[in-house]
Amino acid sequence: MAAPVNSVGKLSSERSTFNPTSFQKKTRGKLISIPGTRPSVQNGQLLVSTGVTSLDFLLGGGLAVGTVLLVEEDRYDSYSRMILKYFLAEGVVCRHELFVAAAQDNPDDILQELPAPILDDVAIHKPAEQPRLSCEPQDSLDAMKIAWRYQNLPKVQSALASSSRFGHYYDVSKTMEPEIRQAAKCHRFYLPEHPTQSSPTHSPMLESYSSLLKSLQEVIHREGFEVAAPMSKSRNILRIGLHSLGSALWGDDLSCHDNPRHRHALTTFLYGLRALLRSSLSVAVVTVPSHLIQDRALMGSITRLCDNAIALESFKGSERETNPLYKDYHGLLHVRQVPHLNCLANQLPDHKDLAFKLKRKQFSIERLHLPPDLSETVSRVSRGELAGGATVASACGSGTSGNKHLDF
């Protein structure tokens, strides 16, 4: 006899509530929407731009939030300082909050040197435009509009630039307008304004590094950058720029002695910094004068404590500055380490022969290519040497009595 309808509905409802398998439908979590960020296509990690589009491409799309980028300074600290200013300028344009720490230059001086953005999507408080006159030709206006659009496109970095629109472009020949710079909230840490006292306990961290880490922790907690903070207001990103850590101006003797007394001071600070960033919406760029650190094993430990690591090798003051092979570049860029977050294997860059150049208006990273006239020059030299060798051989052969081959 067939079961009644109500009993069939009861059985089906009981069968639907009972799930004999552990497999569940995968649901996509809701990502945090913050201006100036985007999720990574590889692991879904939230990314921010470094300000240099080609560097974003090398790092897998950008800097992951909660990570540290280590920049090994060049000998004159000119190009590493440029990357730091690009990173801070990108934060100003995206309305992120900044934290700038330095021991030599005042953070205000670094902020005043930020490059000017060249895109038209930056909110600038300017007076209203004048109405267009009727006698003004329309063709000239259209031509100017097309030229302005072309100016936003990457001209030199087409080989390494990301395909999607991410980050901004800057003009290093001009400084950022005060209206744009003052619109961003910035926290400063200038070491001479924070007098350090000798600690009675034998702590592995220097007092200067301890004071810097404490100031960072207070800013992250007070401004609500912690991941576990309540979602009462809109979230934002904190960009941290730490200039020339490990130098003698920070009280560190890594660059002064072969056997430094504060050997583990910087590594202890980086360990605490990375632990602090992992639980906050923050990202940091740290520059270190690696050419002054004699202990290579210690420099390797510093590199491994950071998530990303790049090294800048400038041609200034070296033999490569006059070498025709490097005439179009200002230095080499070495990728020491790339992160592997939320995945088993990291994404290595396709090319390792990378070089950088600083033009009049732009800093770019490209593949190192041989100049087109180098092979022709080499062939001319080789042909001249062969012709000279043949002349000498004929002169030596004329002295012999008709023998084609010389016996030595």
mmCIF file of all heavy atoms in Angstrom, residues 99-122:
data_model
loop_
_atom_site.group_PDB
_atom_site.id
_atom_site.type_symbol
_atom_site.label_atom_id
_atom_site.label_comp_id
_atom_site.label_asym_id
_atom_site.label_seq_id
_atom_site.Cartn_x
_atom_site.Cartn_y
_atom_site.Cartn_z
ATOM 1 N N PHE A 99 52.889 55.975 7.774
ATOM 2 C CA PHE A 99 53.761 55.996 8.953
ATOM 3 C C PHE A 99 55.192 56.012 8.426
ATOM 4 O O PHE A 99 55.638 55.042 7.820
ATOM 5 C CB PHE A 99 53.522 54.773 9.846
ATOM 6 C CG PHE A 99 54.318 54.803 11.125
ATOM 7 C CD1 PHE A 99 53.770 55.279 12.298
ATOM 8 C CD2 PHE A 99 55.633 54.349 11.154
ATOM 9 C CE1 PHE A 99 54.492 55.311 13.478
ATOM 10 C CE2 PHE A 99 56.373 54.379 12.321
ATOM 11 C CZ PHE A 99 55.802 54.867 13.493
ATOM 12 N N VAL A 100 55.892 57.118 8.636
ATOM 13 C CA VAL A 100 57.242 57.300 8.112
ATOM 14 C C VAL A 100 58.192 57.427 9.290
ATOM 15 O O VAL A 100 57.981 58.249 10.191
ATOM 16 C CB VAL A 100 57.335 58.549 7.214
ATOM 17 C CG1 VAL A 100 58.704 58.639 6.578
ATOM 18 C CG2 VAL A 100 56.250 58.511 6.142
ATOM 19 N N ALA A 101 59.255 56.607 9.281
ATOM 20 C CA ALA A 101 60.262 56.615 10.344
ATOM 21 C C ALA A 101 61.636 56.758 9.718
ATOM 22 O O ALA A 101 61.946 56.098 8.719
ATOM 23 C CB ALA A 101 60.189 55.346 11.182
ATOM 24 N N ALA A 102 62.459 57.617 10.288
ATOM 25 C CA ALA A 102 63.810 57.841 9.791
ATOM 26 C C ALA A 102 64.672 58.332 10.935
ATOM 27 O O ALA A 102 64.166 58.862 11.940
ATOM 28 C CB ALA A 102 63.823 58.847 8.641
ATOM 29 N N ALA A 103 65.991 58.157 10.768
ATOM 30 C CA ALA A 103 66.949 58.627 11.762
ATOM 31 C C ALA A 103 67.826 59.746 11.224
ATOM 32 O O ALA A 103 68.352 60.534 12.002
ATOM 33 C CB ALA A 103 67.832 57.465 12.241
ATOM 34 N N GLN A 104 67.980 59.830 9.909
ATOM 35 C CA GLN A 104 68.836 60.855 9.323
ATOM 36 C C GLN A 104 68.035 62.065 8.865
ATOM 37 O O GLN A 104 68.284 63.191 9.305
ATOM 38 C CB GLN A 104 69.614 60.279 8.143
ATOM 39 C CG GLN A 104 70.513 61.276 7.433
ATOM 40 C CD GLN A 104 71.264 60.656 6.274
ATOM 41 O OE1 GLN A 104 71.092 59.471 5.986
ATOM 42 N NE2 GLN A 104 72.092 61.438 5.610
ATOM 43 N N ASP A 105 67.082 61.857 7.979
ATOM 44 C CA ASP A 105 66.259 62.943 7.462
ATOM 45 C C ASP A 105 64.936 63.006 8.216
ATOM 46 O O ASP A 105 64.384 61.982 8.627
ATOM 47 C CB ASP A 105 65.992 62.751 5.970
ATOM 48 C CG ASP A 105 67.279 62.739 5.163
ATOM 49 O OD1 ASP A 105 68.226 63.437 5.571
ATOM 50 O OD2 ASP A 105 67.337 62.020 4.149
ATOM 51 N N ASN A 106 64.443 64.208 8.346
ATOM 52 C CA ASN A 106 63.142 64.382 8.977
ATOM 53 C C ASN A 106 62.065 63.786 8.066
ATOM 54 O O ASN A 106 62.101 63.995 6.849
ATOM 55 C CB ASN A 106 62.886 65.874 9.209
ATOM 56 C CG ASN A 106 61.752 66.118 10.187
ATOM 57 O OD1 ASN A 106 60.656 65.566 10.050
ATOM 58 N ND2 ASN A 106 62.011 66.938 11.176
ATOM 59 N N PRO A 107 61.101 63.060 8.607
ATOM 60 C CA PRO A 107 60.027 62.513 7.753
ATOM 61 C C PRO A 107 59.277 63.569 6.951
ATOM 62 O O PRO A 107 58.790 63.280 5.854
ATOM 63 C CB PRO A 107 59.108 61.806 8.758
ATOM 64 C CG PRO A 107 60.003 61.441 9.892
ATOM 65 C CD PRO A 107 60.998 62.549 9.990
ATOM 66 N N ASP A 108 59.196 64.794 7.467
ATOM 67 C CA ASP A 108 58.540 65.861 6.707
ATOM 68 C C ASP A 108 59.309 66.188 5.434
ATOM 69 O O ASP A 108 58.714 66.492 4.394
ATOM 70 C CB ASP A 108 58.401 67.113 7.567
ATOM 71 C CG ASP A 108 57.406 66.930 8.704
ATOM 72 O OD1 ASP A 108 56.454 66.140 8.516
ATOM 73 O OD2 ASP A 108 57.580 67.547 9.752
ATOM 74 N N ASP A 109 60.651 66.123 5.507
ATOM 75 C CA ASP A 109 61.452 66.369 4.309
ATOM 76 C C ASP A 109 61.248 65.279 3.266
ATOM 77 O O ASP A 109 61.244 65.544 2.061
ATOM 78 C CB ASP A 109 62.932 66.471 4.679
ATOM 79 C CG ASP A 109 63.201 67.636 5.623
ATOM 80 O OD1 ASP A 109 62.397 68.579 5.632
ATOM 81 O OD2 ASP A 109 64.210 67.591 6.358
ATOM 82 N N ILE A 110 61.077 64.032 3.720
ATOM 83 C CA ILE A 110 60.826 62.929 2.780
ATOM 84 C C ILE A 110 59.463 63.105 2.114
ATOM 85 O O ILE A 110 59.309 62.877 0.906
ATOM 86 C CB ILE A 110 60.920 61.586 3.509
ATOM 87 C CG1 ILE A 110 62.335 61.373 4.077
ATOM 88 C CG2 ILE A 110 60.564 60.429 2.581
ATOM 89 C CD1 ILE A 110 62.494 60.093 4.872
ATOM 90 N N LEU A 111 58.471 63.530 2.882
ATOM 91 C CA LEU A 111 57.129 63.700 2.324
ATOM 92 C C LEU A 111 57.074 64.859 1.335
ATOM 93 O O LEU A 111 56.280 64.830 0.388
ATOM 94 C CB LEU A 111 56.122 63.917 3.451
ATOM 95 C CG LEU A 111 55.882 62.725 4.377
ATOM 96 C CD1 LEU A 111 54.979 63.116 5.526
ATOM 97 C CD2 LEU A 111 55.279 61.559 3.610
ATOM 98 N N GLN A 112 57.887 65.880 1.538
ATOM 99 C CA GLN A 112 57.888 67.005 0.612
ATOM 100 C C GLN A 112 58.548 66.666 -0.720
ATOM 101 O O GLN A 112 58.366 67.404 -1.687
ATOM 102 C CB GLN A 112 58.604 68.200 1.246
ATOM 103 C CG GLN A 112 57.839 68.830 2.383
ATOM 104 C CD GLN A 112 58.592 69.980 3.033
ATOM 105 O OE1 GLN A 112 59.698 70.318 2.602
ATOM 106 N NE2 GLN A 112 58.000 70.567 4.066
ATOM 107 N N GLU A 113 59.288 65.547 -0.785
ATOM 108 C CA GLU A 113 59.948 65.132 -2.016
ATOM 109 C C GLU A 113 59.150 64.105 -2.810
ATOM 110 O O GLU A 113 59.664 63.550 -3.782
ATOM 111 C CB GLU A 113 61.322 64.544 -1.694
ATOM 112 C CG GLU A 113 62.277 65.523 -1.025
ATOM 113 C CD GLU A 113 63.563 64.854 -0.602
ATOM 114 O OE1 GLU A 113 63.674 63.615 -0.807
ATOM 115 O OE2 GLU A 113 64.460 65.537 -0.084
ATOM 116 N N LEU A 114 57.910 63.837 -2.423
ATOM 117 C CA LEU A 114 57.118 62.822 -3.119
ATOM 118 C C LEU A 114 56.851 63.266 -4.551
ATOM 119 O O LEU A 114 56.553 64.438 -4.805
ATOM 120 C CB LEU A 114 55.798 62.572 -2.388
ATOM 121 C CG LEU A 114 55.905 62.025 -0.967
ATOM 122 C CD1 LEU A 114 54.511 61.754 -0.408
ATOM 123 C CD2 LEU A 114 56.750 60.761 -0.916
ATOM 124 N N PRO A 115 56.928 62.347 -5.525
ATOM 125 C CA PRO A 115 56.673 62.727 -6.924
ATOM 126 C C PRO A 115 55.212 63.046 -7.157
ATOM 127 O O PRO A 115 54.315 62.568 -6.456
ATOM 128 C CB PRO A 115 57.120 61.489 -7.708
ATOM 129 C CG PRO A 115 56.979 60.359 -6.739
ATOM 130 C CD PRO A 115 57.303 60.928 -5.392
ATOM 131 N N ALA A 116 54.970 63.857 -8.175
ATOM 132 C CA ALA A 116 53.611 64.301 -8.489
ATOM 133 C C ALA A 116 52.909 63.272 -9.361
ATOM 134 O O ALA A 116 53.505 62.738 -10.307
ATOM 135 C CB ALA A 116 53.653 65.645 -9.209
ATOM 136 N N PRO A 117 51.653 62.932 -9.095
ATOM 137 C CA PRO A 117 50.908 62.010 -9.968
ATOM 138 C C PRO A 117 50.576 62.670 -11.293
ATOM 139 O O PRO A 117 50.373 63.881 -11.380
ATOM 140 C CB PRO A 117 49.641 61.701 -9.158
ATOM 141 C CG PRO A 117 49.467 62.878 -8.266
ATOM 142 C CD PRO A 117 50.843 63.372 -7.940
ATOM 143 N N ILE A 118 50.522 61.854 -12.337
ATOM 144 C CA ILE A 118 50.247 62.378 -13.681
ATOM 145 C C ILE A 118 48.899 61.897 -14.211
ATOM 146 O O ILE A 118 48.624 62.032 -15.393
ATOM 147 C CB ILE A 118 51.357 61.980 -14.674
ATOM 148 C CG1 ILE A 118 51.466 60.453 -14.772
ATOM 149 C CG2 ILE A 118 52.680 62.563 -14.282
ATOM 150 C CD1 ILE A 118 52.461 59.984 -15.822
ATOM 151 N N LEU A 119 48.058 61.347 -13.363
ATOM 152 C CA LEU A 119 46.746 60.880 -13.802
ATOM 153 C C LEU A 119 45.690 61.906 -13.451
ATOM 154 O O LEU A 119 45.862 62.719 -12.536
ATOM 155 C CB LEU A 119 46.422 59.533 -13.150
ATOM 156 C CG LEU A 119 47.340 58.372 -13.562
ATOM 157 C CD1 LEU A 119 46.854 57.078 -12.957
ATOM 158 C CD2 LEU A 119 47.392 58.247 -15.070
ATOM 159 N N ASP A 120 44.579 61.871 -14.163
ATOM 160 C CA ASP A 120 43.516 62.851 -13.970
ATOM 161 C C ASP A 120 42.442 62.391 -13.005
ATOM 162 O O ASP A 120 41.445 63.064 -12.819
ATOM 163 C CB ASP A 120 42.846 63.184 -15.305
ATOM 164 C CG ASP A 120 42.336 61.929 -15.997
ATOM 165 O OD1 ASP A 120 42.663 60.834 -15.518
ATOM 166 O OD2 ASP A 120 41.623 62.065 -16.997
ATOM 167 N N ASP A 121 42.635 61.215 -12.356
ATOM 168 C CA ASP A 121 41.613 60.731 -11.429
ATOM 169 C C ASP A 121 41.955 61.056 -9.985
ATOM 170 O O ASP A 121 41.364 60.505 -9.067
ATOM 171 C CB ASP A 121 41.424 59.221 -11.576
ATOM 172 C CG ASP A 121 42.728 58.454 -11.376
ATOM 173 O OD1 ASP A 121 43.787 59.115 -11.288
ATOM 174 O OD2 ASP A 121 42.670 57.223 -11.298
ATOM 175 N N VAL A 122 42.903 61.964 -9.763
ATOM 176 C CA VAL A 122 43.265 62.365 -8.410
ATOM 177 C C VAL A 122 42.433 63.581 -8.036
ATOM 178 O O VAL A 122 42.354 64.556 -8.788
ATOM 179 C CB VAL A 122 44.768 62.698 -8.317
ATOM 180 C CG1 VAL A 122 45.141 63.089 -6.902
ATOM 181 C CG2 VAL A 122 45.587 61.508 -8.771
#
